[in-house]
Amino acid sequence: MGNMTELNEQALAKYRNSFLHEVEERVEEGDWVKMCMQCGVCAGSCTFGPHWEHSPQKIFMMIRAGKREEVLRSDSMWMCTSCYNCVVRCPRKLPITQIMHGLAQYAHRLGVAPKMQPTRDLSLIFWNNCIKTGRVNELRFTLSLYFKDGLMAGIRQALSMQSIALALLMAKRLNPLEFFKGHECKDKAGIHRMLKKAQEIESRRQGAHK
Amino acid sequence: MSDMKTAAYLCTGCGIGERLSAAQLAKVAEREGKMHLVRQHAFLCSSGGVQLIRDDLEREGVTHLMIAACSRRAKTEAFHFPNTAMSRANLREGVIWSQPDTEEARETTQEMADDYVRMGCAEVKKMKLPAGNPDLGHARRLLVVGGGISGMTAALEASRAGYRALMVEKSGSLGGWAARLHKRTAFREPYTDPADTGVGEMIAALQSDPNIEIVLNASIAKTDGAPGRFKVEIAVESGSARTEDVGAIVQATGFSTYDAAKLPEFAYGKTPNVVDQAGLERLAREAGANPIRRPSDGGEVKSVVFVQCAGQRDDSGIHLPYCSGFCCATSIKQAMYFKDANPAVDTAVIYTDLRVPGNGEDFYRSAQSKGVTFTKGKVTGVEPGGNQCKVSFRDLILDEDTAISDVDLVVLATGQVPNSGVNIGDPEDAVADAEVKPISILNLSYRQGPDLPQLKYGFTDSHFICFPYETRRTGIYAAGPVRRPMDIAQATEDATGAALKGIQAMENAHAGRAAHPRSGDLSFPIVRLDGCTQCKRCTVECPFGAIDEDEKTYPVFNESRCRRCGTCMGACPVRVISFENYSVDTVGAQIKAVEVPDEFSEKPRILVLACENDAYPAIDMAGMQKNVYSAFVRVIPVRCLGSVNAIWITDALTCGYDGIMMMGCKHGDDYQCHFVKGSELASVRMSKIGDTLTQMSLETERVATYEVAITDMARVPRLIDEYAAVINKIGMSPLKGFA
C-alpha cells in the first residue's frame, strides 16, 4: 500500500488528457459515464443534494471535461449514502451509486482521496476490523469509531451512548467479552487468501504493478 | 316558398318529457312556429322514431324538418336526412341538462325550451336545401412543386393511390438536399447507425412511374383557378412554356441552409476548417470510403467539434429565433462518420439542449456508446490558428468559461430557412430585405397575393393542432421544411399526408363539396351582386383568398377555394352574401323568434353566439356534465365568429336583449380558430361596436367577446353566470318593447 502516489503517476502518464477513458477502464461501472445525458434528475433526486460540492451530474461532466484532480480529490462521492434514489430515477439507467463508490474507491487506491473524511474513516475502520477475523466485531468497531478522534472524544462519545449500551446488554445483544477475542470465521486463513487474490485481480485491472 | 311543407318533431325521451311540458312545446311549434305538422315521440332517435319522420317525408311531402330533441351534435346518424332542410332545437344538453331539476327552476326551464322551439322553427323556414357547389372542377392530376424528398414522396404516394402527378423541379436534377447527403440519420430499428439516403432508388422509382411526369429546370409562371381546375403555366429554363390542368397542388419547395457567413464569430469563411453541416456532407461525399481530411491542408482529422444552434434559437434578433429540430440528430450522424471510421478521433458536440425528436433518443444513445462526447454549453467563439482552431464555450453544467484547443474541424449546425415565396400583405419593397426568398413560387393570380400566406419566420400558415397539412389556400398543401423545419423522416410523412389531402381536395372539387373543416358541406356562398357596393371587405377578409375581384371590383367567388366559414357573410355591410342553409336570415330569424319578457319581469335575455367548432361543443359538454348555467341565455351556434354580421347584434339589441356574448376560438399567433382568421376578424369588428352601443344609449358591456376552447366545459357556465351578474348589475335593456 506504500506506492499510492506512484500508482497515481502511472495512471496520469498512461491516460494523459483522457480522464474519461481512465474512468471507463479503471473505475467500477465507469464505462457508464459517457451515457449520461445531463438531465440533472440525479442531482435533483439526491437526498443529500445540497450537501455535496458536486452533484453526480456535475461529477460526470467534470470527468468528460478532464478535471481529474478536482474529481478524485473531491469529497462529493464520499457523501453518497447509497439510497439508490438516483439509480431508480435515472432515465438512462446509469448505476450512479455504484459509480460514486467506484470513484471513491479509485481515489482512495491512488492515495488522493481527501483525508479526515468521515465516510472514508468509517469505511477504513470497518474494513480493517472485518478482514482481521473474517467477520465484523461490532463492539470493537463501535469503540474504534468512538476513539478515532482521540481519548477524550472517545470517552465523551461512549458516555453519551451509555444508556443504549446498557439496554443492549440487558437484551443480550451486546457481549462485553467480545472485546477480548470475539468470534472468528471458520477458515480465517482461507478468507485472507481470498482477499489477497481479489486485491491482485483488482490491481491488475487498474493497471498497477505489483 | 309555396311548396314548403314544414314539420316539427318533439322527442320526449332522455327525460325531456318529465322535465318539460310537451303539450306546451307542441303548442309553441304549431301556433308560433306555424309548423304544418307537429308530432311527438317518446324515443325519436329509435328506428321507430326515425321511421315516423321518413314516412312524413315520403307521404306528407315534408320539405323542412325541425327536430326538438338533443343537441345538433348528437344522434347525427339517426337524424340524417340529406335531402331535407333541417334545424334542431337543443332541449336536452341545452335545456334540461344545464338547468337544475327543481320546482323553482321549472318555469324558466320551460321558457328556455319554448324559445329553442321557436328558434328552430324560425330557422328552418329560412333554410334551403344546399344544392351543391356549381364551381366544379374535374382535373384529377396532382401538381408537385419541388423535387426533393418531400416532393418525390408526394408524387409517389399520389401515384400509389391511383392518381397522376406532375412534378416541377427548379434545378436540373431530382433529390434536393437529400441527394447531397453522404448518409441520412437512422430512421428505423435499431436506430443506431447512419443509413443510406435511398434517394437513388426513389428517383428511379419516380422516373419509371407511368403516372408521374417530371419537368426539370422549370418554375411556375402562373397559377390560376381553384381546386379541381387549376391552370398552371410552367416556364422551362430553355424558354419554352406550357399550360397544364391540375386538380390540386403540393408545394414542397423545401429550405435553404441559414447562411453561415453571417456567423463571423465562429470563423466561418476565415478558415476552410470551419464548415456548416452541408459542408461536412460534401467533405464526407468527397472522401467516400476514405477518412475525411482537413480542408486547409488535407491533414488527418483527430478532433472535431460540432457547434449546435449556430445562428439558431437566437434571442438577440439577429439570427434565426427558432429551433430547426433536425440539426442535433445530423451532428450526431456526422460525429459517427468519424467515430465509425476511427474511434480514436475526438468528437465533441456542444449543445444547449439536445433535441432528437422521434426515435432520435436511441440514435443519441448509440453515439454516446460510440464515444461521442456531449457537452452542454454555449459556444462563444472559434479562433483559427494555423491548421487548427480553438473553440471557446461556456460550460453550462460546470458554469465556467472553457475551451477546446487543437480542433481540426469545426461543424456549425445552422438550421433551415423555408423557401416559401412572398407572404400575404408583404409590401413589395420590403420583400427585398426579408430573410426568406422574395421570389414568388406559385405566382397565384389570387387577389390576396401570389403565394401561400405565412405564419411566422417565413413558414407557411397551417392550423397547427387540428389541420397541420392545411394552408390558407384550399387545394394547395405545403409539405416538408417549407411548412416547418424537419428532417427526412418527418418530411416523408408530411408529404404523404399532403398528397392524400391533395387527393381529397380534388375529389371534393369534383363533387362540389367543401374541404375541411366543413368536409362534405354542399352549401356555398351566394352573392346578390345587384346589392353589392364593391366595398371589397369580403375579398380582403376571406382567410382563404377564395374571392377575387373583377375589373369593376365586384367580388368573384371561387366556391371550390371556399371553406364555408361565412367570414364574407359577416363582413358584408349590405348583407348580400349568404349560404342556402346559413344566412343573415337564418340566424336573424332565430334572434327575433325569442320571446323577450318586459323590463319588469326580472328575466333578462342574453344572446350567446357560439362558434360551432369549439364553444358550442363546450356548452354542450357543460350540459352533459350537468354544469348548471343561467336560464336567461339563448345559444345560437355559428359557423365561425367571423360569420357574425353586425346586423345580428343590432337586431338583438333592438329586440330588447339585455346582453350578447360572442364565444369564439383563441386568436393570435397560436390561434385555434378553425378558419384561421375568423375569430380574430370578429374581435376586431366587435372592438368597434362600442360606438354603435353608445349611439343606441346602451352600456358597452352589453356586447362581450370571449375566447373559449373546446375543453372549457367547466369555465363556460362560469362565464355565462358572471356575465348574467354583470347584466343584473347594469340593469335591463331600455330598448324592450320597441321592436
Side-chain angles (χ1 to χ4, degrees), chain B residues 420-460:
Chain B
S420 46
V422 183
N423 195 8
I424 184 170
D426 268 357
E428 269 171 39
D429 48 342
V431 169
D433 302 332
E435 196 65 67
V436 296
K437 293 223 157 85
I439 304 152
S440 172
I441 287 164
L442 296 175
N443 285 300
L444 292 167
S445 62
Y446 291 18
R447 185 235 182 274
Q448 287 186 6
D451 281 298
L452 296 175
Q454 298 160 17
L455 180 61
K456 255 181 144 176
Y457 316 130
F459 293 100
T460 54

mmCIF file of all heavy atoms in Angstrom, chain B residues 420-460:
data_model
loop_
_atom_site.group_PDB
_atom_site.id
_atom_site.type_symbol
_atom_site.label_atom_id
_atom_site.label_comp_id
_atom_site.label_asym_id
_atom_site.label_seq_id
_atom_site.Cartn_x
_atom_site.Cartn_y
_atom_site.Cartn_z
ATOM 1 N N SER B 420 -40.290 29.914 -49.105
ATOM 2 C CA SER B 420 -41.744 29.978 -49.138
ATOM 3 C C SER B 420 -42.347 31.103 -49.968
ATOM 4 O O SER B 420 -43.547 31.313 -49.921
ATOM 5 C CB SER B 420 -42.282 30.058 -47.712
ATOM 6 O OG SER B 420 -41.553 30.999 -46.992
ATOM 7 N N GLY B 421 -41.568 31.815 -50.710
ATOM 8 C CA GLY B 421 -42.174 32.808 -51.588
ATOM 9 C C GLY B 421 -42.574 34.075 -50.868
ATOM 10 O O GLY B 421 -42.055 34.405 -49.811
ATOM 11 N N VAL B 422 -43.528 34.773 -51.451
ATOM 12 C CA VAL B 422 -43.918 36.091 -50.957
ATOM 13 C C VAL B 422 -45.078 35.937 -49.983
ATOM 14 O O VAL B 422 -46.062 35.280 -50.277
ATOM 15 C CB VAL B 422 -44.330 36.987 -52.147
ATOM 16 C CG1 VAL B 422 -44.666 38.384 -51.657
ATOM 17 C CG2 VAL B 422 -43.218 37.031 -53.186
ATOM 18 N N ASN B 423 -44.972 36.572 -48.848
ATOM 19 C CA ASN B 423 -46.045 36.466 -47.860
ATOM 20 C C ASN B 423 -47.207 37.385 -48.213
ATOM 21 O O ASN B 423 -47.047 38.388 -48.906
ATOM 22 C CB ASN B 423 -45.505 36.823 -46.481
ATOM 23 C CG ASN B 423 -46.446 36.385 -45.374
ATOM 24 O OD1 ASN B 423 -47.433 35.677 -45.630
ATOM 25 N ND2 ASN B 423 -46.164 36.782 -44.162
ATOM 26 N N ILE B 424 -48.374 37.030 -47.690
ATOM 27 C CA ILE B 424 -49.554 37.863 -47.894
ATOM 28 C C ILE B 424 -49.321 39.193 -47.169
ATOM 29 O O ILE B 424 -48.808 39.238 -46.071
ATOM 30 C CB ILE B 424 -50.815 37.149 -47.347
ATOM 31 C CG1 ILE B 424 -52.071 37.952 -47.643
ATOM 32 C CG2 ILE B 424 -50.705 36.864 -45.869
ATOM 33 C CD1 ILE B 424 -53.353 37.182 -47.333
ATOM 34 N N GLY B 425 -49.673 40.263 -47.858
ATOM 35 C CA GLY B 425 -49.554 41.573 -47.226
ATOM 36 C C GLY B 425 -48.143 42.121 -47.180
ATOM 37 O O GLY B 425 -47.904 43.185 -46.629
ATOM 38 N N ASP B 426 -47.157 41.399 -47.733
ATOM 39 C CA ASP B 426 -45.788 41.925 -47.783
ATOM 40 C C ASP B 426 -45.742 43.123 -48.724
ATOM 41 O O ASP B 426 -46.078 42.985 -49.891
ATOM 42 C CB ASP B 426 -44.827 40.864 -48.336
ATOM 43 C CG ASP B 426 -44.215 40.036 -47.232
ATOM 44 O OD1 ASP B 426 -44.504 40.339 -46.061
ATOM 45 O OD2 ASP B 426 -43.474 39.106 -47.542
ATOM 46 N N PRO B 427 -45.300 44.272 -48.253
ATOM 47 C CA PRO B 427 -45.115 45.367 -49.206
ATOM 48 C C PRO B 427 -43.985 44.978 -50.171
ATOM 49 O O PRO B 427 -42.995 44.382 -49.747
ATOM 50 C CB PRO B 427 -44.688 46.541 -48.321
ATOM 51 C CG PRO B 427 -44.809 46.088 -46.915
ATOM 52 C CD PRO B 427 -44.876 44.597 -46.914
ATOM 53 N N GLU B 428 -44.135 45.324 -51.425
ATOM 54 C CA GLU B 428 -43.203 44.805 -52.423
ATOM 55 C C GLU B 428 -41.759 45.229 -52.172
ATOM 56 O O GLU B 428 -40.832 44.465 -52.378
ATOM 57 C CB GLU B 428 -43.643 45.229 -53.827
ATOM 58 C CG GLU B 428 -44.563 44.187 -54.445
ATOM 59 C CD GLU B 428 -45.199 44.662 -55.725
ATOM 60 O OE1 GLU B 428 -44.506 45.330 -56.501
ATOM 61 O OE2 GLU B 428 -46.387 44.352 -55.939
ATOM 62 N N ASP B 429 -41.561 46.451 -51.682
ATOM 63 C CA ASP B 429 -40.177 46.886 -51.489
ATOM 64 C C ASP B 429 -39.553 46.294 -50.232
ATOM 65 O O ASP B 429 -38.345 46.152 -50.141
ATOM 66 C CB ASP B 429 -40.088 48.423 -51.462
ATOM 67 C CG ASP B 429 -41.150 49.018 -50.535
ATOM 68 O OD1 ASP B 429 -42.107 48.297 -50.235
ATOM 69 O OD2 ASP B 429 -41.004 50.180 -50.132
ATOM 70 N N ALA B 430 -40.394 45.919 -49.242
ATOM 71 C CA ALA B 430 -39.865 45.340 -48.010
ATOM 72 C C ALA B 430 -39.414 43.901 -48.220
ATOM 73 O O ALA B 430 -38.599 43.386 -47.477
ATOM 74 C CB ALA B 430 -40.919 45.383 -46.904
ATOM 75 N N VAL B 431 -39.944 43.285 -49.251
ATOM 76 C CA VAL B 431 -39.626 41.885 -49.527
ATOM 77 C C VAL B 431 -38.134 41.693 -49.742
ATOM 78 O O VAL B 431 -37.536 40.716 -49.312
ATOM 79 C CB VAL B 431 -40.429 41.399 -50.745
ATOM 80 C CG1 VAL B 431 -39.928 40.053 -51.218
ATOM 81 C CG2 VAL B 431 -41.904 41.311 -50.396
ATOM 82 N N ALA B 432 -37.507 42.693 -50.352
ATOM 83 C CA ALA B 432 -36.095 42.569 -50.701
ATOM 84 C C ALA B 432 -35.218 42.359 -49.461
ATOM 85 O O ALA B 432 -34.212 41.655 -49.523
ATOM 86 C CB ALA B 432 -35.645 43.805 -51.465
ATOM 87 N N ASP B 433 -35.595 42.948 -48.312
ATOM 88 C CA ASP B 433 -34.769 42.842 -47.120
ATOM 89 C C ASP B 433 -35.048 41.560 -46.336
ATOM 90 O O ASP B 433 -34.328 41.236 -45.409
ATOM 91 C CB ASP B 433 -35.051 44.032 -46.181
ATOM 92 C CG ASP B 433 -34.795 45.351 -46.894
ATOM 93 O OD1 ASP B 433 -33.954 45.342 -47.805
ATOM 94 O OD2 ASP B 433 -35.449 46.343 -46.539
ATOM 95 N N ALA B 434 -36.098 40.866 -46.688
ATOM 96 C CA ALA B 434 -36.539 39.753 -45.855
ATOM 97 C C ALA B 434 -35.569 38.588 -45.919
ATOM 98 O O ALA B 434 -34.791 38.439 -46.864
ATOM 99 C CB ALA B 434 -37.924 39.305 -46.288
ATOM 100 N N GLU B 435 -35.644 37.773 -44.879
ATOM 101 C CA GLU B 435 -34.795 36.590 -44.781
ATOM 102 C C GLU B 435 -35.194 35.554 -45.826
ATOM 103 O O GLU B 435 -34.359 34.903 -46.426
ATOM 104 C CB GLU B 435 -34.978 35.995 -43.379
ATOM 105 C CG GLU B 435 -33.914 35.018 -42.967
ATOM 106 C CD GLU B 435 -32.559 35.690 -42.846
ATOM 107 O OE1 GLU B 435 -32.366 36.540 -41.953
ATOM 108 O OE2 GLU B 435 -31.701 35.365 -43.671
ATOM 109 N N VAL B 436 -36.496 35.437 -46.042
ATOM 110 C CA VAL B 436 -36.987 34.407 -46.962
ATOM 111 C C VAL B 436 -36.798 34.857 -48.400
ATOM 112 O O VAL B 436 -36.643 36.042 -48.681
ATOM 113 C CB VAL B 436 -38.485 34.124 -46.721
ATOM 114 C CG1 VAL B 436 -38.679 33.553 -45.352
ATOM 115 C CG2 VAL B 436 -39.299 35.371 -46.909
ATOM 116 N N LYS B 437 -36.828 33.903 -49.286
ATOM 117 C CA LYS B 437 -36.658 34.231 -50.701
ATOM 118 C C LYS B 437 -37.839 35.077 -51.164
ATOM 119 O O LYS B 437 -38.981 34.677 -51.021
ATOM 120 C CB LYS B 437 -36.606 32.933 -51.494
ATOM 121 C CG LYS B 437 -35.362 32.135 -51.175
ATOM 122 C CD LYS B 437 -34.761 31.577 -52.441
ATOM 123 C CE LYS B 437 -33.293 31.276 -52.265
ATOM 124 N NZ LYS B 437 -32.974 30.020 -51.707
ATOM 125 N N PRO B 438 -37.572 36.227 -51.709
ATOM 126 C CA PRO B 438 -38.667 37.114 -52.088
ATOM 127 C C PRO B 438 -39.290 36.738 -53.436
ATOM 128 O O PRO B 438 -40.217 37.382 -53.880
ATOM 129 C CB PRO B 438 -37.988 38.480 -52.157
ATOM 130 C CG PRO B 438 -36.564 38.184 -52.468
ATOM 131 C CD PRO B 438 -36.261 36.812 -51.964
ATOM 132 N N ILE B 439 -38.776 35.706 -54.060
ATOM 133 C CA ILE B 439 -39.296 35.352 -55.381
ATOM 134 C C ILE B 439 -40.539 34.486 -55.210
ATOM 135 O O ILE B 439 -40.515 33.509 -54.461
ATOM 136 C CB ILE B 439 -38.235 34.570 -56.181
ATOM 137 C CG1 ILE B 439 -36.964 35.393 -56.268
ATOM 138 C CG2 ILE B 439 -38.755 34.175 -57.546
ATOM 139 C CD1 ILE B 439 -35.713 34.572 -56.391
ATOM 140 N N SER B 440 -41.597 34.850 -55.907
ATOM 141 C CA SER B 440 -42.818 34.056 -55.770
ATOM 142 C C SER B 440 -42.613 32.665 -56.349
ATOM 143 O O SER B 440 -41.928 32.471 -57.349
ATOM 144 C CB SER B 440 -43.973 34.741 -56.482
ATOM 145 O OG SER B 440 -45.075 33.868 -56.486
ATOM 146 N N ILE B 441 -43.202 31.698 -55.700
ATOM 147 C CA ILE B 441 -43.056 30.320 -56.159
ATOM 148 C C ILE B 441 -44.254 29.906 -57.004
ATOM 149 O O ILE B 441 -44.106 29.342 -58.078
ATOM 150 C CB ILE B 441 -42.888 29.395 -54.942
ATOM 151 C CG1 ILE B 441 -41.479 29.615 -54.372
ATOM 152 C CG2 ILE B 441 -43.075 27.938 -55.331
ATOM 153 C CD1 ILE B 441 -41.279 29.105 -52.999
ATOM 154 N N LEU B 442 -45.445 30.188 -56.507
ATOM 155 C CA LEU B 442 -46.639 29.720 -57.217
ATOM 156 C C LEU B 442 -47.190 30.750 -58.201
ATOM 157 O O LEU B 442 -47.905 30.399 -59.130
ATOM 158 C CB LEU B 442 -47.730 29.343 -56.201
ATOM 159 C CG LEU B 442 -47.389 28.175 -55.279
ATOM 160 C CD1 LEU B 442 -48.489 27.993 -54.252
ATOM 161 C CD2 LEU B 442 -47.196 26.892 -56.077
ATOM 162 N N ASN B 443 -46.862 32.021 -57.967
ATOM 163 C CA ASN B 443 -47.409 33.095 -58.802
ATOM 164 C C ASN B 443 -48.918 32.956 -58.984
ATOM 165 O O ASN B 443 -49.441 32.985 -60.093
ATOM 166 C CB ASN B 443 -46.700 33.136 -60.161
ATOM 167 C CG ASN B 443 -45.314 33.729 -60.020
ATOM 168 O OD1 ASN B 443 -45.162 34.867 -59.590
ATOM 169 N ND2 ASN B 443 -44.297 32.937 -60.344
ATOM 170 N N LEU B 444 -49.601 32.831 -57.861
ATOM 171 C CA LEU B 444 -51.054 32.720 -57.898
ATOM 172 C C LEU B 444 -51.653 34.009 -58.449
ATOM 173 O O LEU B 444 -51.155 35.102 -58.165
ATOM 174 C CB LEU B 444 -51.589 32.503 -56.474
ATOM 175 C CG LEU B 444 -51.247 31.180 -55.805
ATOM 176 C CD1 LEU B 444 -51.553 31.240 -54.320
ATOM 177 C CD2 LEU B 444 -52.038 30.054 -56.455
ATOM 178 N N SER B 445 -52.707 33.866 -59.206
ATOM 179 C CA SER B 445 -53.388 35.059 -59.716
ATOM 180 C C SER B 445 -54.423 35.545 -58.704
ATOM 181 O O SER B 445 -55.271 36.342 -59.022
ATOM 182 C CB SER B 445 -54.073 34.712 -61.031
ATOM 183 O OG SER B 445 -55.058 33.718 -60.803
ATOM 184 N N TYR B 446 -54.340 35.051 -57.458
ATOM 185 C CA TYR B 446 -55.330 35.391 -56.450
ATOM 186 C C TYR B 446 -55.227 36.859 -56.066
ATOM 187 O O TYR B 446 -54.151 37.428 -56.017
ATOM 188 C CB TYR B 446 -55.121 34.557 -55.174
ATOM 189 C CG TYR B 446 -55.431 33.073 -55.297
ATOM 190 C CD1 TYR B 446 -55.504 32.447 -56.537
ATOM 191 C CD2 TYR B 446 -55.637 32.324 -54.156
ATOM 192 C CE1 TYR B 446 -55.780 31.090 -56.613
ATOM 193 C CE2 TYR B 446 -55.907 30.965 -54.229
ATOM 194 C CZ TYR B 446 -55.976 30.350 -55.459
ATOM 195 O OH TYR B 446 -56.239 29.020 -55.524
ATOM 196 N N ARG B 447 -56.368 37.402 -55.679
ATOM 197 C CA ARG B 447 -56.410 38.791 -55.269
ATOM 198 C C ARG B 447 -55.529 39.060 -54.050
ATOM 199 O O ARG B 447 -55.011 40.154 -53.866
ATOM 200 C CB ARG B 447 -57.875 39.142 -54.942
ATOM 201 C CG ARG B 447 -58.102 40.575 -54.622
ATOM 202 C CD ARG B 447 -58.778 40.746 -53.274
ATOM 203 N NE ARG B 447 -59.041 42.147 -53.005
ATOM 204 C CZ ARG B 447 -58.158 42.957 -52.452
ATOM 205 N NH1 ARG B 447 -56.951 42.531 -52.147
ATOM 206 N NH2 ARG B 447 -58.468 44.221 -52.207
ATOM 207 N N GLN B 448 -55.367 38.045 -53.190
ATOM 208 C CA GLN B 448 -54.657 38.284 -51.933
ATOM 209 C C GLN B 448 -53.158 38.013 -51.991
ATOM 210 O O GLN B 448 -52.501 38.007 -50.964
ATOM 211 C CB GLN B 448 -55.285 37.446 -50.810
ATOM 212 C CG GLN B 448 -56.633 37.968 -50.369
ATOM 213 C CD GLN B 448 -57.165 37.229 -49.164
ATOM 214 O OE1 GLN B 448 -56.497 36.401 -48.576
ATOM 215 N NE2 GLN B 448 -58.398 37.525 -48.803
ATOM 216 N N GLY B 449 -52.610 37.773 -53.161
ATOM 217 C CA GLY B 449 -51.171 37.599 -53.212
ATOM 218 C C GLY B 449 -50.753 36.326 -53.906
ATOM 219 O O GLY B 449 -51.545 35.406 -54.072
ATOM 220 N N PRO B 450 -49.473 36.288 -54.322
ATOM 221 C CA PRO B 450 -49.021 35.231 -55.230
ATOM 222 C C PRO B 450 -48.625 33.910 -54.570
ATOM 223 O O PRO B 450 -48.341 32.946 -55.274
ATOM 224 C CB PRO B 450 -47.801 35.865 -55.900
ATOM 225 C CG PRO B 450 -47.265 36.811 -54.886
ATOM 226 C CD PRO B 450 -48.442 37.318 -54.115
ATOM 227 N N ASP B 451 -48.556 33.863 -53.226
ATOM 228 C CA ASP B 451 -48.074 32.630 -52.602
ATOM 229 C C ASP B 451 -48.919 32.264 -51.386
ATOM 230 O O ASP B 451 -49.842 32.985 -51.027
ATOM 231 C CB ASP B 451 -46.610 32.798 -52.182
ATOM 232 C CG ASP B 451 -45.671 32.633 -53.357
ATOM 233 O OD1 ASP B 451 -45.652 31.535 -53.935
ATOM 234 O OD2 ASP B 451 -44.987 33.616 -53.703
ATOM 235 N N LEU B 452 -48.531 31.156 -50.765
ATOM 236 C CA LEU B 452 -49.222 30.724 -49.556
ATOM 237 C C LEU B 452 -48.938 31.715 -48.420
ATOM 238 O O LEU B 452 -47.787 32.088 -48.222
ATOM 239 C CB LEU B 452 -48.723 29.339 -49.126
ATOM 240 C CG LEU B 452 -49.000 28.204 -50.104
ATOM 241 C CD1 LEU B 452 -48.348 26.909 -49.604
ATOM 242 C CD2 LEU B 452 -50.492 27.994 -50.264
ATOM 243 N N PRO B 453 -49.959 32.128 -47.682
ATOM 244 C CA PRO B 453 -49.702 33.019 -46.552
ATOM 245 C C PRO B 453 -48.832 32.325 -45.502
ATOM 246 O O PRO B 453 -48.918 31.110 -45.321
ATOM 247 C CB PRO B 453 -51.101 33.313 -46.000
ATOM 248 C CG PRO B 453 -52.026 33.023 -47.113
ATOM 249 C CD PRO B 453 -51.401 31.908 -47.882
ATOM 250 N N GLN B 454 -48.009 33.126 -44.852
ATOM 251 C CA GLN B 454 -47.086 32.577 -43.861
ATOM 252 C C GLN B 454 -47.555 32.947 -42.464
ATOM 253 O O GLN B 454 -48.276 33.911 -42.267
ATOM 254 C CB GLN B 454 -45.684 33.148 -44.112
ATOM 255 C CG GLN B 454 -45.155 32.758 -45.485
ATOM 256 C CD GLN B 454 -44.037 33.660 -45.973
ATOM 257 O OE1 GLN B 454 -43.430 34.374 -45.194
ATOM 258 N NE2 GLN B 454 -43.776 33.612 -47.266
ATOM 259 N N LEU B 455 -47.091 32.164 -41.489
ATOM 260 C CA LEU B 455 -47.466 32.466 -40.114
ATOM 261 C C LEU B 455 -46.329 33.218 -39.435
ATOM 262 O O LEU B 455 -46.470 34.362 -39.051
ATOM 263 C CB LEU B 455 -47.790 31.181 -39.354
ATOM 264 C CG LEU B 455 -48.202 31.380 -37.896
ATOM 265 C CD1 LEU B 455 -49.449 32.218 -37.802
ATOM 266 C CD2 LEU B 455 -48.427 30.050 -37.217
ATOM 267 N N LYS B 456 -45.173 32.574 -39.337
ATOM 268 C CA LYS B 456 -44.041 33.190 -38.640
ATOM 269 C C LYS B 456 -42.759 32.702 -39.288
ATOM 270 O O LYS B 456 -42.689 31.571 -39.754
ATOM 271 C CB LYS B 456 -44.041 32.724 -37.186
ATOM 272 C CG LYS B 456 -44.507 33.760 -36.194
ATOM 273 C CD LYS B 456 -44.440 33.179 -34.807
ATOM 274 C CE LYS B 456 -44.017 34.236 -33.812
ATOM 275 N NZ LYS B 456 -44.015 33.747 -32.446
ATOM 276 N N TYR B 457 -41.771 33.534 -39.281
ATOM 277 C CA TYR B 457 -40.429 33.177 -39.742
ATOM 278 C C TYR B 457 -40.423 32.657 -41.176
ATOM 279 O O TYR B 457 -39.529 31.926 -41.586
ATOM 280 C CB TYR B 457 -39.783 32.121 -38.841
ATOM 281 C CG TYR B 457 -39.954 32.360 -37.370
ATOM 282 C CD1 TYR B 457 -40.402 31.350 -36.539
ATOM 283 C CD2 TYR B 457 -39.678 33.617 -36.821
ATOM 284 C CE1 TYR B 457 -40.571 31.567 -35.178
ATOM 285 C CE2 TYR B 457 -39.853 33.839 -35.476
ATOM 286 C CZ TYR B 457 -40.296 32.814 -34.653
ATOM 287 O OH TYR B 457 -40.463 33.034 -33.328
ATOM 288 N N GLY B 458 -41.451 32.962 -41.933
ATOM 289 C CA GLY B 458 -41.478 32.537 -43.327
ATOM 290 C C GLY B 458 -42.108 31.176 -43.549
ATOM 291 O O GLY B 458 -42.256 30.741 -44.686
ATOM 292 N N PHE B 459 -42.474 30.461 -42.478
ATOM 293 C CA PHE B 459 -43.108 29.157 -42.677
ATOM 294 C C PHE B 459 -44.586 29.356 -43.023
ATOM 295 O O PHE B 459 -45.226 30.262 -42.509
ATOM 296 C CB PHE B 459 -42.962 28.297 -41.425
ATOM 297 C CG PHE B 459 -41.537 27.907 -41.153
ATOM 298 C CD1 PHE B 459 -40.785 28.576 -40.216
ATOM 299 C CD2 PHE B 459 -40.947 26.896 -41.891
ATOM 300 C CE1 PHE B 459 -39.455 28.238 -39.996
ATOM 301 C CE2 PHE B 459 -39.622 26.546 -41.680
ATOM 302 C CZ PHE B 459 -38.877 27.222 -40.734
ATOM 303 N N THR B 460 -45.096 28.489 -43.878
ATOM 304 C CA THR B 460 -46.473 28.671 -44.316
ATOM 305 C C THR B 460 -47.433 28.415 -43.160
ATOM 306 O O THR B 460 -47.164 27.629 -42.263
ATOM 307 C CB THR B 460 -46.820 27.703 -45.465
ATOM 308 O OG1 THR B 460 -46.504 26.381 -45.032
ATOM 309 C CG2 THR B 460 -46.051 28.022 -46.713
#
